Amino acid sequence: MKKILVTGAVGQIGSELTMTLRKRYGAENVVAAGRKTKPSAELRDSGPFEFIEVTDYDAVNAVVKKYDVGTIYHLAAILSAVGEAKPQLAWKVNVDGVMVMLELSREYGCALMVPSSIGAFGPSTPKDGTPQDTIQRPTSMYGVTKVSGEILCDYYYTKYGVDTRGLRYPGLISHVALPGGGTTDYAVDIYYKALEDKKYECFLSEDTRMDMMYMPDAIDAAIDLMEADPSNLEHRNAFNVTAMNFTPKEIAQSVKKVIPDFEISYKIDPVRQGIADSWPNSMDDSAARKEWGWDPKFGLEKMTEDMLKNLSKKLNINY
Ligand code: SER
């Protein structure tokens, strides 16, 4: 079989997606690629691993050739808060990197998955039940790069017939690898701090509502979309997908149900608050449900129980 390449394989999504793909298609068929973060022993030893800069066409080309790659999950990206601190870097990685993947996919006939985000929306987008097709004028650099990626993927499909597919992920919550510089990271941090300190100081206000998803659903979404019958796909790129939406106050309440003496306090970071306020409260993901059967399994309470159970093992802290 042609091989699968996962870029950003050491990142929050990549570290779990790579292992799931290796179980599903055979470890030797899934090439993990990272930039410089040390991969876990599991990731490094269970199948092929390569270090590449996703903006380096020649380096990625060499890997695609070496392994006869047929599908690329391109996950390497700069998240929203880092993107505000380093906008030029965000453009380089998030747009130039996508262009490298698109060009190679055109040349070698690869299928290409590029995730987008709730960040692709902005203050003029309808906030509740955000439609699949709507106004997209994001005000963060991260959002500018994500809309650009969506449109570039559409362009390569229409112009060259490249099999591009993509999702607009909400905030992703997981216990294996940390997110790293996003606005929704609070919803991961809170679980670590609940176990470590029984308290958490949140950088967003208590009533900031955003869409969220637990990682097992995010992994299923990526694989289900790539395996979907293309004749059913009307949208192809940038499907809205969500599993739940909540505020810091609501997630804190769900933690308190499991750890009753947990306390949350608030110290607002204006940059991340500004980004969060420009994003939807809740997306309408009916196109994904209809076109490829999107059906998430985790809501807030079930996720909280599972996160705390897994983190308690990982951190060796009982509750
Ligand atoms: N989780 C991302 C961020 O906060 C959004 O896609 O940057």
Side-chain angles (χ1 to χ4, degrees):
M1 103 176 228
K2 283 199 166 250
K3 305 281 188 278
I4 298 169
L5 172 65
V6 181
T7 73
V10 187
Q12 191 197 11
I13 308 174
S15 51
E16 294 191 54
L17 179 65
T18 303
M19 295 312 297
T20 307
L21 291 170
R22 282 183 174 165
K23 276 182 206 116
R24 197 175 176 92
Y25 301 110
E28 69 289 356
N29 293 321
V30 182
V31 184
R35 186 173 154 259
K36 64 172 198 227
T37 312
K38 217 170 140 224
S40 66
E42 188 191 34
L43 204 57
R44 194 194 52 218
D45 299 338
S46 62
F49 191 95
E50 297 279 344
F51 283 100
I52 41 172
E53 287 281 348
V54 293
T55 51
D56 181 344
Y57 179 91
D58 293 337
V60 186
N61 186 22
V63 168
V64 170
K65 255 198 188 149
K66 176 175 167 189
Y67 292 96
D68 190 19
V69 168
T71 301
I72 303 173
Y73 287 84
H74 177 51
L75 305 175
I78 300 286
L79 291 183
S80 59
V82 176
E84 284 316 284
K86 298 176 183 170
Q88 293 83 2
L89 178 70
W91 180 269
K92 192 165 179 251
V93 175
N94 294 7
V95 181
D96 294 351
V98 168
M99 275 303 285
V100 165
M101 301 304 147
L102 283 165
E103 268 301 296
L104 288 168
S105 298
R106 177 170 76 85
E107 214 174 307
Y108 293 94
C110 302
L112 174 64
M113 190 271 189
V114 179
S116 185
S117 158
I118 46 171
F121 298 116
S124 51
T125 303
K127 270 206 168 316
D128 296 295
T130 304
Q132 175 66 43
D133 303 305
T134 186
I135 302 164
Q136 289 182 269
R137 304 288 289 175
T139 44
S140 70
M141 187 51 158
Y142 177 71
V144 171
T145 68
K146 285 292 163 186
V147 179
S148 305
E150 291 181 6
I151 298 168
L152 284 168
C153 287
D154 279 346
Y155 182 82
Y156 268 70
Y157 169 66
T158 315
K159 179 139 177 143
Y160 302 116
V162 176
D163 185 2
T164 54
R165 305 185 190 194
L167 304 156
R168 289 188 190 121
Y169 277 131
L172 297 180
I173 292 124
S174 62
H175 54 80
V176 175
L178 287 169
T183 300
T184 57
D185 295 13
Y186 88 86
V188 177
D189 301 344
I190 192 170
Y191 292 114
Y192 280 83
K193 293 287 180 214
L195 288 167
E196 286 165 349
D197 303 334
K198 296 227 172 351
K199 57 179 197 268
Y200 175 61
E201 189 177 79
C202 184
F203 56 76
L204 297 179
S205 69
E206 62 173 23
D207 53 359
T208 308
R209 184 172 298 284
M210 284 183 286
D211 280 301
M212 300 280 176
M213 187 185 294
Y214 196 31
M215 191 57 81
D217 281 327
I219 301 296
D220 282 352
I223 296 174
D224 289 354
L225 174 61
M226 290 311 278
E227 288 186 348
D229 177 352
S231 65
N232 295 334
L233 300 182
E234 240 175 82
H235 285 88
R236 276 196 163 264
N237 294 299
F239 280 99
N240 286 0
V241 281
T242 183
M244 61 190 103
N245 63 76
F246 55 72
T247 63
K249 192 174 171 183
E250 288 165 0
I251 188 175
Q253 279 160 356
S254 87
V255 172
K256 245 173 140 35
K257 278 187 199 154
V258 185
I259 304 177
D261 47 352
F262 171 71
E263 292 298 338
I264 188 165
S265 59
Y266 300 90
K267 186 172 173 215
I268 289 160
D269 165 17
V271 173
R272 284 179 286 187
Q273 186 67 51
I275 295 172
D277 288 343
S278 75
W279 290 355
N281 294 332
S282 64
M283 289 186 288
D284 174 353
D285 61 5
S286 51
R289 289 173 187 271
K290 179 171 153 251
E291 292 176 40
W292 51 275
W294 166 238
D295 184 19
K297 309 210 167 27
F298 284 87
L300 177 56
E301 306 303 330
K302 196 171 156 195
M303 174 178 77
T304 293
E305 280 165 27
D306 202 68
M307 271 297 280
L308 291 172
K309 198 176 79 202
N310 280 290
L311 277 183
S312 139
K313 268 190 239 148
K314 177 174 165 176
L315 304 173
N316 203 13
I317 303 173
N318 290 325
Y319 57 90

